[in-house]
Amino acid sequence: MEDHLTKSITHSNNITTISPHVVIFPLPIQGPINCMLKLANLILSLSPATVSVTFVTTDFIHRRLLLHSNTAARLAHDYRPRFRFETVHDGFGPDENPRNVSLLTMSLEAQAQAEGSRLREVLGFGSAEDEMKKPVSCIIAEGLYGCMVDVAKELRVPLVYFDTCSPCCLWTYFCIPNLLKVVDLPFQDDEEGLDASITSVPGMETYLRRRDLPSFCHAYDPNNPVIQLVLKEAQEFPKAQGHILNTFDELEGDYFAHIRALCPNLYNIGPLHLNLKSRIQQETTKSISNSLWQEDRSCLAWLDAQPPKSVLFVSIGSLASMTKDQLMEIWHGLINSKSRFLWVRRPGSIINKDEDTSQDDLEMIPDDLVEGTKKRGCIVSWAPQEEVLAHGAIGGFLTHCGWNSTLESIVEGVPMICWPFYVDQQVNSRVVSEVWKIGLDMNKDNCTRVVVEELIKELMETRRDEFSKRADKMAKLAAQAVAEDGSSYNSLNHLIDDIVSMRFSI
């Protein structure tokens, strides 16, 4: 295999031997950036000094990493010259312009497909600068970049996809052609029909409903850019030389048999952040920050003053948004529940608002909310989430159920109230509540103060011991998976070995 790669990847200096050089190409949003930077750290830390990594992202993302996280400086310092960032333009102008996920993906796919583009140059050599070019021996790309199959084939470089969504959701993606064939799709997106069962996703027949399908299946439009990307991902998935999944066998083993039938070479290396911590960060509880927002660490001191397992952590992640009406319903539900709460309200996450409702504007909020927040609440614009969930004061998590957040909650044994918004979050929410039974599923369209209050009381009070017991058991399984000789520990070693020896078959 090495001889084949050596002959296939050459440039003007007529290099006859190559050392392992991985190009990592994530989707340019917080979740995938966070995952893939952790993966880069693990590859660099656990592989020989001959292995180098180029991390390709947009200039917008790179500027935010430099501004708000310690990642860029730390990796450049610890692994110089083996690690470097390479940036490309996303085509969306100034930083204040909105970045839509589907548009970003389509834009970067177009760049990857364009002959002679800077991105193609980077994918071939890991750098656009002549003096820094080094042949690439492996591309690790976000699974939604279906075009990478053709790019990698042209460059004669092995391609490994990193599917940063959950395997349970990934499996539903791959079943969409069958859903269309048996006419489970399309369906009318009305409240009466949303609870109808979906029986054409093998392994999920007993619990999957229409409302649990990925958000783009609702009001199905075949011309939707996200649907086009997902269908292409399903088509191109078997053509890659391997697939990295951020999960562990004991959590989602039932789905692996289906996915492995499409691509036998799976690397189940999750929970990735726990694998990183157990292999590299044993000496500290502080997480490595890959944040695109400034973290307000004052919330940790506030948590220190709260009783054990008394605080509900509330966050809808890096992309989801809510209306002002939803904000007020959640706020009233929190106050009426009498629970302590730590609430992350990301800048720009409140839409259709007349006034800014940040911590500094509490005088513009009804008196009962102001007083209740002062007594039992803490509101910040962004928080170090891994550290928050690991804090002993946290007893529950009201979450959008993005995959990173779900795994981080599982690792710390924190039960969840799931309020999903889009893409994989609906599937995750259903599996959390009905399969793993470590949380409650809140209908996104039924966000009233009464429902919010009832679910908080159920999670934090009436069924607290029941949920905590199951969540603790799941956390122990996660820890065992990344411990020496655990399933994810061994799978990560397998991935590193294949990268170093270039054993991928192309």
Side-chain angles (χ1 to χ4, degrees):
M1 183 63 195
E2 186 168 348
D3 290 341
H4 174 69
L5 283 173
T6 300
K7 293 175 182 177
S8 301
I9 307 173
T10 60
H11 57 75
S12 58
N13 292 332
N14 294 317
I15 289 180
T16 58
T17 60
I18 62 173
S19 56
H21 181 192
V22 182
V23 165
I24 297 179
F25 189 37
L27 194 65
I29 54 178
Q30 176 70 81
I33 289 288
N34 185 28
C35 279
M36 291 202 179
L37 280 171
K38 285 178 165 61
L39 176 61
N41 202 331
L42 282 163
I43 291 172
L44 291 164
S45 300
L46 301 179
S47 62
T50 54
V51 177
S52 57
V53 173
T54 296
F55 196 91
V56 183
T57 189
T58 64
D59 43 13
F60 170 79
I61 293 293
H62 188 238
R63 284 192 295 271
R64 293 191 70 88
L65 283 171
L66 289 172
L67 186 62
H68 299 305
S69 85
N70 56 24
T71 292
R74 180 180 51 78
L75 289 175
H77 175 269
D78 292 350
Y79 299 107
R80 186 185 303 273
R82 297 171 55 206
F83 176 86
R84 67 171 172 270
F85 284 99
E86 193 76 37
T87 63
V88 295
H89 299 298
D90 62 20
F92 290 93
D95 287 2
E96 58 269 20
N97 288 356
R99 262 73 178 168
N100 177 279
V101 178
S102 59
L103 291 178
L104 274 170
T105 310
M106 299 294 282
S107 171
L108 292 174
E109 273 229 331
Q111 289 188 55
Q113 290 172 324
E115 283 293 338
S117 72
R118 185 174 187 275
L119 181 55
R120 210 174 190 84
E121 188 89 350
V122 169
L123 289 169
F125 295 98
S127 176
E129 305 300 327
D130 287 340
E131 64 273 16
M132 298 177 68
K133 284 183 178 177
K134 177 183 176 184
V136 170
S137 58
C138 177
I139 295 173
I140 297 178
E142 166 66 45
L144 281 174
Y145 291 127
C147 68
M148 286 299 169
V149 168
D150 292 335
V151 173
K153 184 177 180 180
E154 176 189 323
L155 298 171
R156 298 193 179 185
V157 174
L159 171 66
V160 177
Y161 274 131
F162 188 165
D163 298 279
T164 55
C165 67
S166 63
C168 58
C169 183
L170 187 66
W171 177 232
T172 64
Y173 288 176
F174 296 159
C175 291
I176 287 176
N178 191 50
L179 288 167
L180 292 166
K181 182 179 179 181
V182 302
V183 202
D184 272 339
L185 278 179
F187 56 81
Q188 292 296 316
D189 201 5
D190 59 77
E191 187 62 31
E192 289 185 2
L194 285 176
D195 286 326
S197 296
I198 295 291
T199 59
S200 50
V201 179
M204 296 185 174
E205 300 93 339
T206 60
Y207 57 85
L208 198 67
R209 307 164 300 177
R210 286 177 175 174
R211 71 167 70 250
D212 307 317
L213 290 172
S215 58
F216 48 76
C217 293
H218 299 237
Y220 184 88
D221 175 6
N223 296 316
N224 182 324
V226 176
I227 288 177
Q228 292 176 352
L229 288 170
V230 167
L231 289 174
K232 187 171 184 179
E233 180 180 13
Q235 180 182 4
E236 302 299 323
F237 182 92
K239 300 177 184 179
Q241 282 66 57
H243 291 269
I244 299 168
L245 299 174
N246 186 15
T247 191
F248 55 104
D249 292 7
E250 296 79 3
L251 183 67
E252 293 184 281
D254 291 345
Y255 308 115
F256 294 153
H258 299 293
I259 296 174
R260 190 171 276 114
L262 300 176
C263 182
N265 194 22
L266 298 182
Y267 304 96
N268 306 321
I269 64 172
L272 191 54
H273 72 287
L274 186 60
N275 222 336
L276 177 65
K277 187 173 181 178
S278 66
R279 302 289 284 264
I280 299 171
Q281 293 177 259
Q282 299 95 331
E283 73 283 355
T284 178
T285 59
K286 184 177 179 180
S287 61
I288 291 176
S289 173
N290 299 323
S291 177
L292 303 180
W293 283 271
Q294 187 63 46
E295 295 173 340
D296 184 345
R297 299 184 62 83
S298 67
C299 62
L300 297 173
W302 182 84
L303 286 173
D304 289 340
Q306 311 307 315
K309 295 187 180 297
S310 66
V311 177
L312 179 72
F313 179 46
V314 183
S315 175
I316 60 170
S318 61
L319 288 172
S321 58
M322 65 175 75
T323 65
K324 186 176 180 182
D325 287 342
Q326 289 172 326
L327 168 77
M328 298 308 292
E329 291 301 308
I330 286 181
W331 206 340
H332 277 287
L334 284 166
I335 298 303
N336 294 343
S337 74
K338 300 296 190 292
S339 178
R340 293 174 171 84
F341 61 91
L342 168 59
W343 191 357
V344 171
R345 292 219 292 256
R346 187 188 79 249
S349 63
I350 312 301
I351 58 177
N352 300 327
K353 60 179 182 175
D354 299 319
E355 301 289 346
D356 186 5
T357 49
S358 67
Q359 177 79 339
D360 297 331
D361 294 313
L362 289 180
E363 69 273 7
M364 307 181 71
I365 303 302
D367 290 345
D368 57 334
L369 299 187
V370 174
E371 292 306 312
T373 300
K374 288 179 179 177
K375 288 179 181 177
R376 294 184 297 277
C378 175
I379 299 175
V380 295
S381 60
W382 199 245
Q385 182 164 294
E386 289 179 33
E387 291 177 74
V388 167
L389 288 169
H391 198 285
I394 297 295
F397 186 13
L398 197 164
T399 172
H400 63 307
C401 229
W403 189 232
N404 280 357
S405 292
T406 302
L407 274 180
E408 289 163 12
S409 201
I410 287 172
V411 163
E412 302 303 338
V414 176
M416 290 167 264
I417 296 173
C418 305
W419 191 38
F421 283 76
Y422 42 55
V423 193
D424 64 330
Q425 296 164 16
Q426 280 84 0
V427 182
N428 298 343
S429 177
R430 187 63 170 171
V431 173
V432 164
S433 63
E434 297 302 310
V435 180
W436 302 327
K437 299 184 185 301
I438 54 175
L440 299 167
D441 186 2
M442 182 165 69
N443 181 354
K444 182 179 183 297
D445 300 319
N446 192 25
C447 174
T448 68
R449 62 192 66 187
V450 173
V451 169
V452 173
E453 177 186 353
E454 289 176 349
L455 290 178
I456 293 173
K457 287 182 175 178
E458 185 175 355
L459 190 83
M460 301 292 287
E461 297 176 16
T462 58
R463 298 178 64 188
R464 170 178 167 174
D465 291 343
E466 172 190 342
F467 283 123
S468 293
K469 185 176 180 179
R470 285 198 291 263
D472 287 344
K473 181 179 179 180
M474 197 74 77
K476 290 176 182 176
L477 291 175
Q480 291 169 9
V482 302
E484 187 170 0
D485 209 31
S487 59
S488 294
Y489 182 99
N490 291 337
S491 190
L492 177 60
N493 287 347
H494 182 201
L495 173 63
I496 300 295
D497 288 346
D498 285 353
I499 287 172
V500 171
S501 62
M502 293 178 278
R503 283 197 295 256
F504 303 106
S505 177
I506 61 174

